[in-house]
Structure formats: C-alpha cells, structure tokens
Amino acid sequence: MLKATVAALTGALLLGAAVPALAKDKTIAVSWKTFQEERWKTDEAAIKAAVTAAGNKYVSTDAQGSAEKQAKDIEGLITQKVDVIVIVAYDSDAILPSIKAARDAGIKTMAYDVQFEDPSALYITFDNIGVGRLMAKEVQKVKPAGNYAFIKGDKGDPNATFLFKGIMEVLGDAIKAGKIKNSCETFTDGWKPDNAQKNMEQCLTSTGNKIDAVVSENDGMASGVVAALKAQGMDGSVAVSGQDGDLAAINRVALGTQTVSIWKDATQLGKKAGELANMIADGTAIDKLPGVTKFNLGKKGVEMNSILLEPTTITKDTLDVAIKAGHITKEKACAGVKAGSVKACG
Amino acid sequence: MTQSTETRSEPALAQEGVVTRFLRATEIDTRLLGMVGALILISVCFHFAGILRTGNGVFLSPRNLWILLVQTSSIAVMTTGMVLIIVMRHIDLSVGSLLGVIAVIMGYAQVYVLGPWLGVGHPAIWIITILIGLSAGALLGGFHGYLIAYAGIPSFIVTLGGLIVWRGAAWAIIRGETVAPMDETFELLGGGPLDASIKATGSWILGIIVCVVIVLALYFGRKSRQKFNFPLRPMWAETFLGIVGCGITLGTVLLVNSYYFPPKLANEYAERYNIPIPEDGFLLSKGFAIPVLIAAAAAIVMTFVATRTRFGRYVYAIGGNPEAAELAGINTKRITLIMFSIMGVLAAISACISSARLNAASNALGQFDELYVIAATVIGGTSLAGGVGTIYGAILGALVMQSLQSGMTLLNFDSAYKDMAVGSVLVFAVWLDQIYRRRAN
C-alpha cells in the first residue's frame, strides 16, 4: 500500500511541477529544534532544495535545544506571516500552544519527524513500526525457519519495544507454528555494541552455537553481534539485521556478514516534506494530500493526518541505492569485498 | 567476605587453634579467601540454576569460563589503576569516557589516516596505533592529574567534567559514526580471531614458567627473610603455598585448553599453517586469550609498582594520611599527577582491548565502564576512605561482577533484574566488608 501511495505522490508532484506558476512567492518556514546533531543539516538541504525549486522562499529558525526559544521562534514566524511552518519539535507537549497560535493566525503546520499531537497539523515521518517489519521480513527471507536470537535495544527506550512489535507482527505466526524458535531474547543496555556482543556470546554459549538468524534492532549492535559470530566462525552464515544505514554496516552488508540495514534517508524525508509544504502553501487541504493516512498511535492517541514514508532496505542487491544517493562512497561500501561477489561493487 | 567468610568464622571459633594457626602460618589474606569463596558460590549456583532451568548447565563449562575471562579483561585492566587512585583518596569517574575517546582516536587513525597512508594491512599500523593510544591516555590522564594536583580542583569534579567532555569529544571526532574494521593484527588484542590466543602448547609453556616463578619467589622470599631475621613461615606452609599456587596455575591452563575452536575455524587454522587434519577431526585448543594475558600482565606490573617501588609506597602513604605524607617530604602533587597519567594509560590499554574485541570503534564504547570499574574495586575490598586496597582483590571483584552479569544473561534474566542484582551485590559486599573489618579490629 505504501508503495502505491508513494507512486501516487510522485505522480501528483510531477503534475505540480508542470504548473510552477501556482507556487510562486509563498514562504515556507522551518523551526528546527537543534543543529547539534549532524543529520538535521542533511534534512535542511533537502527541504530547502525542494522549496526553492518550486519558486518559494525558505526561511528557518534554530531553537538550539530549548523549548522556550522554539516558542519564541514560532511567534516570530507567525508575525512574519509565513504560509507554512514545518516544525521539528524539541518538546512535543510544550510546543502545542505555539501550534494553536499558528492555527489561529491561519498558518498551516507540519510535524516533521517528531510528532506533536494536534489534529490540524500534518505529521510526516518514516514508518517506525515498519522498520521492525522490514528487518524481520528480510531476515525471514534468508532463514525462513530455525533458531532466532533477538537483540533488542535499551529497555528504557520505547523505540526498542516499538521495533519489536513490528518484528513480531512478521514473525509471530512462524513462531506459533514452530517454524521459528525464539532461542534468546534480550534487551541491550544503552544500545551499546559491546553489550550486544556480550549478550550474543552468552546466547551462543547457552545454545551451543545453534543460532540461524539474529534480529538486531540497530547497526551498532549488529557490529557486536557479528564480532561474536566471527569468534565462532559463524559470520556470514547467520542472517543478521540492523538499521540506521551506518557506513560500517553497509560495508558488512557488502561483505555478507550482515543481511540487511534499514536506512531512513534524511534527504528523502526532507525532499518529501518540502514538496508537501509547497502543496499546502498552494492551498491543498491537508486531508486531501496524496498518500495521506490517519495516524493515532501517539501518546494521547490523537488522530492526525500523516504521511509515513517507507524506509530504504539496504541488502547486497540494493547496495547501489545508498551509493547513488551519496550516502556512502563506493570505495567505503566495498572495502575488502571480493571482486564479482557483489553487483554494486563490480 | 561474603557468606563463606561467615561460615568459615564459626568453625574458627570452635576450633580456633587449627584454622587460625593455619592462616597465620600461610599468611593467606582471609578476605581473599572470602572473595574466592563468593566467586565459587556464584558459579556453582548459576551452573545448577542452569541445569534446573534448561537441563544443561553451561556456566562452569570451559567455554563460558574462557569467555568470562575475556569479557572481564578490559574492566580488570582499569581496576588495577583505580585501586591506587582510590587508595590515594581520589576517584576517577572519567575512565569510561577516556576509553571511548581513545578508542575513537585509535579507530580514526587506523581507518582514515594510517590505512590510506601506509596501505591497509601494513605491519606497522597496529604498533603506531597503540603508541598513539597510549600517549593519548598518558596525556589526557596527566592533564586530569595536573588539574587535580596543581590547580587544586577536587578529583571528583575534574573527572566528572572529563566524563562529560571526553564522551562529547568521542562523538565530535567521528560525528557519531562507527569506525570499522580494525587492522587485522590490532584485532588480535581483542581475543576474537584465530591467532588471538596462544593455543595449548603456548599455554602449557606459560603455565610452567609461572610455576617456576612461584617456586623461585617462595625460595628467595624465604632467603631474604632469613637474611633480615624476619619470622619464617613453617616449611609445610611454604610447600602448601607452592602446591596451591602451581595447582591453580596449571588448573587454569587445563581449563583454557579444554575450550576448543569450532571445527570450521580449526580446519581453517590447519589449512593456514599446513597442519595435516587427522581423520577423526582436528581439535584445536584456544589456550589463553591475548586480552587475558594483557590483563594479567597489567595486574602483575601494577602489583609490583604498588608493593615494591617507592612510588607505590608513597601512594599508600598519601592515602593513609595526606598531610603526614606531605610533611614527610613526599612530593604529593607529582605522585598525584603521575598516578592519574598511569590511569589514563590503563584506560588506553582497555580501549585497545575493547575496540579490538568489537572490531569497531564507536563513541558509545566504554559508557558506564567507570561505574563497573569503581564497583569492582570497592567489592574487591578497597576502602573509599583511602589507604587500603589490593589489586588482586579488585580483579576478583571484577570477576564477581562479570560472573553475575553473564550468569544472569545465560539464564535469560530480564536486564532490569540484572541491574537490580548487580547493584545490590555492590552494597551487600561493602556491608559484609565493614562487618569483617570491625571484627578484625
């Protein structure tokens, strides 16, 4: 279904690009929560490119990791009478009064990557439960039956449980049918690779190396898992998942020691958000946007219009996607790979 | 210091003569006995809990004990320095972050500087990397020491700052990326690859050398006591110590040699070194892993420094009474600076072990290690009031902590209960220690 919506969206955008006159002279603002984390620079470049390509103006503010500063930022943007405010909320509750003020001033808002629960806003993010589903699907493709180990993230992070929910949606039936056995399942303190390595070593010891697949909830932990497997000579023959599109993980995918890394491409998210902001500025109602679905899995269960993008699956066969997107150089991705074993490496 | 000390003390009351005489004659530290007892108790409990739960106990298997030693080595190296820091009435909260930033520096150097410059796999890479790491450790640790000793900022504050600063620096250097893979020779320091352990023959040779050293040490110890007219241990006590020491050494050799490589790796090894594979399969023993040997070497060197050098005696003197030490003419500032610098070097050694073991350097490496190092040191009998503490105790403490954690993981315990248990053991151990000290006085 997601693929279809993405296709519809692209179609609609092509249509929009054919009539650029419509979008002229609108102002799209982005209120960033911080630029301390490097990734937001990638998001900004993508949004800016999409906005200016349609002939609109891009303005931005940086809340520098403060909820108060962000409220003032948005106040300022409302005074400037911008057309759409895209918000990466620092605090998803403290932001709500600012959203109401914008709504009262007739300005449309978008929640970018971080959800705040206001029914008037559009929520755009990657499908997080989908990440778990994708991981499990790719691992299951390689090892449809056998003993599985689950290396989960930190027990204090709701995302760890969230991901596991998605994983179990895919594998639940096979586990019930006895095709897949849950041999080890453990949380990993602080998502730390070295803890994941210890947990994996203990898992291999207690099962006497009888493990066929490991569902690791991110790439960092996957590095620990692979190190533990390598010490038993099992790296490469056991399916291992991960997420984040870590450069080292992409290299492991090329080497064959990791099966899949689910990658949330910030450029893709930013580009889509910029394009949607253009359409909203032109007067498209939020619930009439192409590909919009209802989302109510937030803390308070408020139903919002949302666009959930499907993350990119990086496997041996799709490696070139990350290279072509400029996320990783071919040299780095293919370091140590035997010639001819991976298509993208040549 | 845990239960076994308690049970030991009851029969001791009943038949005081024999046990007290035995302990006095052999000069065995009763707290050491307590620690060893606790370790054995924990192991046996986990082993049988495993049998009850899954039908086969794996805790006391050579494989698990071998892994346990490797998993403990990084923390163990750092405890050898932490003991002396705490003995000096200081604390170092920054060791985990130091480990992280040094691992990242070494990872960056290998992958982005030395690799492209010298060519990946160049034999000098690992040596240069280690030198970079050790100098970084000495510098950063020394910097902490300078601020503490000469600028007069409390060590708690300096190293608390360090804990935050160096973790941030680790992130900034690689922008949150995980750097991998490490140089192939460097990776041996972690104990993972085929060549990262000294196999059966190497382990036997090492074991026999250690036995000879033990016997010689007892012999020369006795001679020098005679020379200075010190009281001598009875001959039977000397013999007993020699037999126990050698027994433990050779027993450990036997243990690490009865963990074999999986057949696939054994065959790979045979192929690499042109060893003919016998018909009934090739059994290749692991033997001592390199990180375990590094930890043992660190423990021996640091014990020597603590007990046999002027520097070590100064450290204990400062810990016993800083003012008196200063008035006695000890340059306490210089000793403090050097001690923190040594701690930095030890953190760098642990950084080598951790990043080599993971075959990657990430900015999260070593996070919370400071807590485990301090906890292990304290469980091992080092007094936070200063002046008292032994390195072998701290290493046993590290083994206790790691046994608890790995044992509970083997039993598939929820990690929440794991944390609760480890924290409780820390407090419980210190409580027992207090009782012991009060009785001993």
Side-chain angles (χ1 to χ4, degrees), chain A residues 209-265:
Chain A
N209 287 359
K210 285 192 200 79
I211 291 292
D212 302 297
V214 185
V215 181
S216 149
E217 286 188 350
N218 80 3
D219 284 341
M221 298 195 300
S223 71
V225 167
V226 170
L229 291 171
K230 191 177 171 191
Q232 297 297 325
M234 293 163 73
D235 55 327
S237 57
V238 173
V240 178
S241 72
Q243 70 152 323
D244 289 341
D246 269 10
L247 304 188
I250 296 177
N251 180 234
R252 281 196 297 274
V253 169
L255 291 168
T257 52
Q258 184 171 332
T259 314
V260 61
S261 173
I262 310 296
W263 175 44
K264 297 191 236 170
D265 180 1

Short mmCIF file of all heavy atoms in Angstrom, two decimals, chain A residues 209-265:
data_model
loop_
_atom_site.label_atom_id
_atom_site.label_comp_id
_atom_site.label_asym_id
_atom_site.label_seq_id
_atom_site.Cartn_x
_atom_site.Cartn_y
_atom_site.Cartn_z
N ASN A 209 25.87 -22.73 20.02
CA ASN A 209 26.01 -22.21 18.65
C ASN A 209 24.83 -22.52 17.73
O ASN A 209 24.94 -22.36 16.52
CB ASN A 209 27.30 -22.70 17.97
CG ASN A 209 28.53 -22.03 18.55
OD1 ASN A 209 28.41 -21.18 19.43
ND2 ASN A 209 29.70 -22.39 18.05
N LYS A 210 23.71 -23.01 18.29
CA LYS A 210 22.59 -23.35 17.41
C LYS A 210 21.72 -22.12 17.16
O LYS A 210 20.61 -21.99 17.68
CB LYS A 210 21.76 -24.48 18.04
CG LYS A 210 22.47 -25.82 17.93
CD LYS A 210 21.53 -26.97 18.27
CE LYS A 210 22.31 -28.21 18.64
NZ LYS A 210 22.83 -28.17 20.03
N ILE A 211 22.26 -21.20 16.37
CA ILE A 211 21.53 -19.98 16.02
C ILE A 211 21.60 -19.81 14.50
O ILE A 211 22.67 -19.96 13.90
CB ILE A 211 22.17 -18.75 16.72
CG1 ILE A 211 21.93 -18.80 18.23
CG2 ILE A 211 21.63 -17.45 16.15
CD1 ILE A 211 20.49 -18.60 18.66
N ASP A 212 20.45 -19.55 13.89
CA ASP A 212 20.42 -19.39 12.43
C ASP A 212 20.26 -17.95 12.00
O ASP A 212 20.65 -17.57 10.90
CB ASP A 212 19.27 -20.22 11.85
CG ASP A 212 19.41 -21.68 12.21
OD1 ASP A 212 20.40 -22.29 11.78
OD2 ASP A 212 18.55 -22.21 12.94
N ALA A 213 19.62 -17.14 12.85
CA ALA A 213 19.38 -15.75 12.47
C ALA A 213 19.36 -14.87 13.72
O ALA A 213 18.94 -15.31 14.78
CB ALA A 213 18.05 -15.64 11.74
N VAL A 214 19.83 -13.65 13.56
CA VAL A 214 19.82 -12.70 14.66
C VAL A 214 19.10 -11.44 14.20
O VAL A 214 19.50 -10.82 13.22
CB VAL A 214 21.25 -12.32 15.11
CG1 VAL A 214 21.20 -11.43 16.34
CG2 VAL A 214 22.08 -13.56 15.38
N VAL A 215 18.04 -11.08 14.93
CA VAL A 215 17.38 -9.82 14.62
C VAL A 215 17.91 -8.79 15.62
O VAL A 215 17.55 -8.80 16.79
CB VAL A 215 15.84 -9.94 14.74
CG1 VAL A 215 15.19 -8.61 14.40
CG2 VAL A 215 15.34 -11.04 13.83
N SER A 216 18.84 -7.95 15.15
CA SER A 216 19.41 -6.91 15.99
C SER A 216 18.71 -5.60 15.61
O SER A 216 18.51 -5.32 14.44
CB SER A 216 20.92 -6.84 15.74
OG SER A 216 21.38 -5.52 15.91
N GLU A 217 18.35 -4.81 16.62
CA GLU A 217 17.48 -3.67 16.34
C GLU A 217 18.21 -2.45 15.78
O GLU A 217 17.57 -1.49 15.37
CB GLU A 217 16.66 -3.29 17.59
CG GLU A 217 15.55 -4.29 17.86
CD GLU A 217 14.61 -3.85 18.97
OE1 GLU A 217 14.91 -2.87 19.66
OE2 GLU A 217 13.57 -4.51 19.14
N ASN A 218 19.54 -2.44 15.80
CA ASN A 218 20.23 -1.39 15.04
C ASN A 218 21.61 -1.84 14.57
O ASN A 218 22.07 -2.94 14.92
CB ASN A 218 20.26 -0.06 15.80
CG ASN A 218 21.34 0.01 16.86
OD1 ASN A 218 22.14 -0.90 17.04
ND2 ASN A 218 21.36 1.11 17.59
N ASP A 219 22.26 -1.01 13.80
CA ASP A 219 23.52 -1.39 13.17
C ASP A 219 24.67 -1.46 14.17
O ASP A 219 25.56 -2.30 14.05
CB ASP A 219 23.88 -0.39 12.06
CG ASP A 219 23.06 -0.62 10.81
OD1 ASP A 219 22.52 -1.73 10.68
OD2 ASP A 219 22.97 0.30 9.98
N GLY A 220 24.68 -0.55 15.14
CA GLY A 220 25.74 -0.55 16.14
C GLY A 220 25.77 -1.89 16.86
O GLY A 220 26.83 -2.51 17.01
N MET A 221 24.59 -2.35 17.30
CA MET A 221 24.53 -3.63 18.00
C MET A 221 24.87 -4.77 17.05
O MET A 221 25.48 -5.76 17.45
CB MET A 221 23.14 -3.83 18.60
CG MET A 221 22.79 -2.77 19.64
SD MET A 221 21.38 -3.25 20.65
CE MET A 221 20.12 -3.41 19.41
N ALA A 222 24.51 -4.60 15.77
CA ALA A 222 24.84 -5.64 14.79
C ALA A 222 26.35 -5.82 14.70
O ALA A 222 26.83 -6.94 14.50
CB ALA A 222 24.25 -5.30 13.43
N SER A 223 27.12 -4.73 14.90
CA SER A 223 28.57 -4.88 14.83
C SER A 223 29.06 -5.78 15.96
O SER A 223 29.96 -6.59 15.76
CB SER A 223 29.26 -3.51 14.88
OG SER A 223 29.16 -2.94 16.16
N GLY A 224 28.44 -5.65 17.14
CA GLY A 224 28.79 -6.53 18.26
C GLY A 224 28.38 -7.97 18.00
O GLY A 224 29.11 -8.90 18.29
N VAL A 225 27.19 -8.12 17.42
CA VAL A 225 26.67 -9.46 17.11
C VAL A 225 27.61 -10.15 16.12
O VAL A 225 28.00 -11.31 16.31
CB VAL A 225 25.25 -9.37 16.52
CG1 VAL A 225 24.82 -10.69 15.91
CG2 VAL A 225 24.26 -8.94 17.59
N VAL A 226 28.01 -9.43 15.08
CA VAL A 226 28.87 -10.03 14.05
C VAL A 226 30.24 -10.39 14.65
O VAL A 226 30.80 -11.45 14.35
CB VAL A 226 29.02 -9.08 12.84
CG1 VAL A 226 30.09 -9.58 11.89
CG2 VAL A 226 27.70 -8.95 12.12
N ALA A 227 30.75 -9.52 15.56
CA ALA A 227 32.03 -9.85 16.20
C ALA A 227 31.92 -11.14 17.00
O ALA A 227 32.82 -11.98 16.98
CB ALA A 227 32.48 -8.70 17.09
N ALA A 228 30.79 -11.32 17.70
CA ALA A 228 30.59 -12.54 18.48
C ALA A 228 30.46 -13.76 17.56
O ALA A 228 31.00 -14.83 17.85
CB ALA A 228 29.35 -12.42 19.36
N LEU A 229 29.77 -13.59 16.44
CA LEU A 229 29.61 -14.70 15.49
C LEU A 229 30.96 -15.05 14.87
O LEU A 229 31.29 -16.22 14.66
CB LEU A 229 28.62 -14.32 14.39
CG LEU A 229 27.16 -14.19 14.81
CD1 LEU A 229 26.34 -13.61 13.68
CD2 LEU A 229 26.59 -15.54 15.22
N LYS A 230 31.74 -14.01 14.58
CA LYS A 230 33.03 -14.23 13.93
C LYS A 230 33.94 -15.08 14.81
O LYS A 230 34.66 -15.95 14.30
CB LYS A 230 33.68 -12.86 13.66
CG LYS A 230 34.89 -12.94 12.76
CD LYS A 230 35.44 -11.55 12.48
CE LYS A 230 36.78 -11.64 11.77
NZ LYS A 230 37.45 -10.33 11.74
N ALA A 231 33.89 -14.84 16.13
CA ALA A 231 34.74 -15.61 17.03
C ALA A 231 34.39 -17.09 17.00
O ALA A 231 35.18 -17.93 17.40
CB ALA A 231 34.62 -15.07 18.44
N GLN A 232 33.19 -17.43 16.53
CA GLN A 232 32.78 -18.83 16.41
C GLN A 232 32.80 -19.28 14.95
O GLN A 232 32.26 -20.35 14.62
CB GLN A 232 31.37 -19.03 16.99
CG GLN A 232 31.26 -18.74 18.47
CD GLN A 232 32.12 -19.68 19.30
OE1 GLN A 232 32.28 -20.85 18.98
NE2 GLN A 232 32.72 -19.16 20.37
N GLY A 233 33.34 -18.45 14.08
CA GLY A 233 33.39 -18.81 12.66
C GLY A 233 32.03 -18.87 12.01
O GLY A 233 31.83 -19.56 11.02
N MET A 234 31.05 -18.14 12.58
CA MET A 234 29.69 -18.24 12.07
C MET A 234 29.27 -16.99 11.29
O MET A 234 28.15 -16.91 10.80
CB MET A 234 28.70 -18.44 13.23
CG MET A 234 28.87 -19.78 13.93
SD MET A 234 28.08 -19.77 15.55
CE MET A 234 26.36 -19.83 15.08
N ASP A 235 30.18 -16.00 11.21
CA ASP A 235 29.81 -14.78 10.49
C ASP A 235 29.65 -15.09 9.01
O ASP A 235 30.44 -15.83 8.43
CB ASP A 235 30.85 -13.68 10.70
CG ASP A 235 32.25 -14.14 10.33
OD1 ASP A 235 32.55 -15.33 10.53
OD2 ASP A 235 33.04 -13.32 9.83
N GLY A 236 28.59 -14.55 8.45
CA GLY A 236 28.35 -14.80 7.03
C GLY A 236 27.35 -15.92 6.80
O GLY A 236 26.63 -15.91 5.82
N SER A 237 27.29 -16.89 7.73
CA SER A 237 26.30 -17.96 7.53
C SER A 237 25.04 -17.72 8.37
O SER A 237 24.04 -18.39 8.18
CB SER A 237 26.92 -19.32 7.86
OG SER A 237 27.41 -19.33 9.18
N VAL A 238 25.11 -16.78 9.31
CA VAL A 238 23.94 -16.44 10.12
C VAL A 238 23.38 -15.12 9.61
O VAL A 238 24.12 -14.18 9.36
CB VAL A 238 24.34 -16.32 11.61
CG1 VAL A 238 23.19 -15.81 12.44
CG2 VAL A 238 24.84 -17.65 12.13
N ALA A 239 22.05 -15.06 9.42
CA ALA A 239 21.42 -13.82 8.97
C ALA A 239 21.40 -12.81 10.12
O ALA A 239 21.08 -13.17 11.25
CB ALA A 239 20.01 -14.10 8.48
N VAL A 240 21.78 -11.55 9.83
CA VAL A 240 21.82 -10.52 10.87
C VAL A 240 21.15 -9.25 10.33
O VAL A 240 21.42 -8.84 9.20
CB VAL A 240 23.27 -10.18 11.28
CG1 VAL A 240 23.29 -9.07 12.30
CG2 VAL A 240 23.98 -11.41 11.81
N SER A 241 20.27 -8.64 11.13
CA SER A 241 19.62 -7.41 10.68
C SER A 241 20.19 -6.21 11.42
O SER A 241 20.97 -6.36 12.36
CB SER A 241 18.12 -7.49 10.95
OG SER A 241 17.89 -7.37 12.33
N GLY A 242 19.78 -5.02 10.99
CA GLY A 242 20.18 -3.80 11.65
C GLY A 242 19.42 -2.64 11.05
O GLY A 242 18.67 -2.82 10.08
N GLN A 243 19.60 -1.45 11.61
CA GLN A 243 19.02 -0.27 10.97
C GLN A 243 19.92 0.93 11.22
O GLN A 243 20.74 0.89 12.13
CB GLN A 243 17.62 0.03 11.52
CG GLN A 243 17.63 0.51 12.95
CD GLN A 243 16.45 1.41 13.27
OE1 GLN A 243 16.01 2.20 12.44
NE2 GLN A 243 15.93 1.27 14.47
N ASP A 244 19.76 1.96 10.45
CA ASP A 244 20.44 3.27 10.52
C ASP A 244 21.29 3.55 9.28
O ASP A 244 21.65 4.68 9.04
CB ASP A 244 21.37 3.43 11.74
CG ASP A 244 20.60 3.57 13.03
OD1 ASP A 244 19.40 3.89 12.93
OD2 ASP A 244 21.15 3.31 14.10
N GLY A 245 21.61 2.52 8.51
CA GLY A 245 22.47 2.77 7.36
C GLY A 245 23.85 3.23 7.76
O GLY A 245 24.47 4.03 7.07
N ASP A 246 24.36 2.75 8.93
CA ASP A 246 25.74 3.04 9.35
C ASP A 246 26.69 2.68 8.22
O ASP A 246 26.51 1.65 7.57
CB ASP A 246 26.12 2.17 10.55
CG ASP A 246 25.82 2.84 11.87
OD1 ASP A 246 25.16 3.89 11.84
OD2 ASP A 246 26.22 2.29 12.90
N LEU A 247 27.73 3.49 8.04
CA LEU A 247 28.65 3.21 6.95
C LEU A 247 29.32 1.85 7.13
O LEU A 247 29.46 1.07 6.18
CB LEU A 247 29.70 4.31 6.85
CG LEU A 247 29.14 5.73 6.67
CD1 LEU A 247 30.25 6.72 6.41
CD2 LEU A 247 28.09 5.79 5.56
N ALA A 248 29.71 1.55 8.38
CA ALA A 248 30.36 0.26 8.64
C ALA A 248 29.38 -0.89 8.37
O ALA A 248 29.78 -1.96 7.92
CB ALA A 248 30.87 0.19 10.06
N ALA A 249 28.09 -0.65 8.64
CA ALA A 249 27.09 -1.69 8.43
C ALA A 249 26.88 -1.96 6.95
O ALA A 249 26.72 -3.11 6.52
CB ALA A 249 25.77 -1.29 9.09
N ILE A 250 26.90 -0.89 6.16
CA ILE A 250 26.73 -1.06 4.71
C ILE A 250 27.90 -1.88 4.17
O ILE A 250 27.73 -2.77 3.34
CB ILE A 250 26.63 0.31 4.01
CG1 ILE A 250 25.37 1.02 4.50
CG2 ILE A 250 26.60 0.15 2.50
CD1 ILE A 250 25.19 2.41 3.95
N ASN A 251 29.09 -1.63 4.71
CA ASN A 251 30.25 -2.43 4.32
C ASN A 251 30.06 -3.89 4.71
O ASN A 251 30.39 -4.80 3.96
CB ASN A 251 31.52 -1.84 4.96
CG ASN A 251 32.77 -2.61 4.60
OD1 ASN A 251 33.51 -3.06 5.47
ND2 ASN A 251 33.01 -2.80 3.30
N ARG A 252 29.48 -4.12 5.90
CA ARG A 252 29.22 -5.51 6.32
C ARG A 252 28.22 -6.18 5.40
O ARG A 252 28.32 -7.37 5.10
CB ARG A 252 28.72 -5.56 7.77
CG ARG A 252 29.79 -5.40 8.82
CD ARG A 252 29.30 -5.86 10.18
NE ARG A 252 28.20 -5.05 10.67
CZ ARG A 252 28.34 -3.91 11.34
NH1 ARG A 252 29.55 -3.46 11.61
NH2 ARG A 252 27.29 -3.23 11.74
N VAL A 253 27.22 -5.41 4.96
CA VAL A 253 26.23 -5.97 4.03
C VAL A 253 26.94 -6.40 2.74
O VAL A 253 26.70 -7.49 2.21
CB VAL A 253 25.12 -4.95 3.73
CG1 VAL A 253 24.26 -5.42 2.57
CG2 VAL A 253 24.26 -4.72 4.96
N ALA A 254 27.88 -5.55 2.27
CA ALA A 254 28.62 -5.90 1.06
C ALA A 254 29.49 -7.14 1.28
O ALA A 254 29.61 -7.99 0.41
CB ALA A 254 29.49 -4.72 0.62
N LEU A 255 30.07 -7.23 2.48
CA LEU A 255 30.92 -8.38 2.80
C LEU A 255 30.12 -9.64 3.05
O LEU A 255 30.66 -10.74 3.08
CB LEU A 255 31.78 -8.07 4.03
CG LEU A 255 32.87 -7.03 3.86
CD1 LEU A 255 33.44 -6.63 5.22
CD2 LEU A 255 33.99 -7.55 2.98
N GLY A 256 28.82 -9.48 3.30
CA GLY A 256 27.96 -10.64 3.52
C GLY A 256 27.82 -11.04 4.97
O GLY A 256 27.18 -12.04 5.28
N THR A 257 28.43 -10.28 5.91
CA THR A 257 28.30 -10.66 7.31
C THR A 257 27.04 -10.08 7.95
O THR A 257 26.64 -10.50 9.03
CB THR A 257 29.52 -10.20 8.13
OG1 THR A 257 29.73 -8.82 7.90
CG2 THR A 257 30.76 -10.96 7.71
N GLN A 258 26.43 -9.11 7.30
CA GLN A 258 25.14 -8.60 7.77
C GLN A 258 24.16 -8.70 6.61
O GLN A 258 24.53 -8.45 5.46
CB GLN A 258 25.27 -7.15 8.27
CG GLN A 258 23.99 -6.59 8.87
CD GLN A 258 24.20 -5.22 9.54
OE1 GLN A 258 25.27 -4.90 10.02
NE2 GLN A 258 23.14 -4.42 9.57
N THR A 259 22.91 -9.08 6.90
CA THR A 259 21.96 -9.33 5.83
C THR A 259 21.33 -8.05 5.32
O THR A 259 21.18 -7.84 4.12
CB THR A 259 20.84 -10.27 6.33
OG1 THR A 259 21.47 -11.34 7.04
CG2 THR A 259 20.01 -10.80 5.18
N VAL A 260 20.94 -7.19 6.28
CA VAL A 260 20.18 -6.01 5.88
C VAL A 260 20.42 -4.86 6.86
O VAL A 260 20.62 -5.09 8.05
CB VAL A 260 18.67 -6.34 5.80
CG1 VAL A 260 18.15 -6.81 7.16
CG2 VAL A 260 17.87 -5.16 5.30
N SER A 261 20.44 -3.65 6.32
CA SER A 261 20.37 -2.47 7.17
C SER A 261 19.22 -1.62 6.66
O SER A 261 19.17 -1.28 5.49
CB SER A 261 21.69 -1.69 7.11
OG SER A 261 21.55 -0.47 7.81
N ILE A 262 18.29 -1.31 7.56
CA ILE A 262 17.18 -0.46 7.15
C ILE A 262 17.63 0.98 7.31
O ILE A 262 18.11 1.38 8.36
CB ILE A 262 15.94 -0.71 8.04
CG1 ILE A 262 15.63 -2.20 8.15
CG2 ILE A 262 14.74 0.08 7.53
CD1 ILE A 262 15.25 -2.86 6.88
N TRP A 263 17.49 1.76 6.26
CA TRP A 263 18.05 3.10 6.24
C TRP A 263 16.96 4.13 6.06
O TRP A 263 16.17 4.08 5.12
CB TRP A 263 19.07 3.18 5.11
CG TRP A 263 19.66 4.54 4.88
CD1 TRP A 263 20.09 5.41 5.81
CD2 TRP A 263 19.89 5.16 3.61
NE1 TRP A 263 20.59 6.53 5.23
CE2 TRP A 263 20.48 6.40 3.87
CE3 TRP A 263 19.66 4.77 2.29
CZ2 TRP A 263 20.83 7.28 2.85
CZ3 TRP A 263 20.02 5.64 1.28
CH2 TRP A 263 20.60 6.89 1.56
N LYS A 264 16.92 5.07 7.02
CA LYS A 264 15.97 6.18 6.89
C LYS A 264 16.73 7.35 6.27
O LYS A 264 17.52 8.00 6.94
CB LYS A 264 15.43 6.55 8.27
CG LYS A 264 14.65 5.42 8.92
CD LYS A 264 13.93 5.91 10.14
CE LYS A 264 14.31 5.11 11.36
NZ LYS A 264 13.81 5.69 12.60
N ASP A 265 16.51 7.56 5.02
CA ASP A 265 17.26 8.56 4.27
C ASP A 265 16.70 9.95 4.54
O ASP A 265 15.61 10.30 4.11
CB ASP A 265 17.15 8.21 2.78
CG ASP A 265 17.91 9.20 1.91
OD1 ASP A 265 18.52 10.12 2.48
OD2 ASP A 265 17.87 9.03 0.68
#
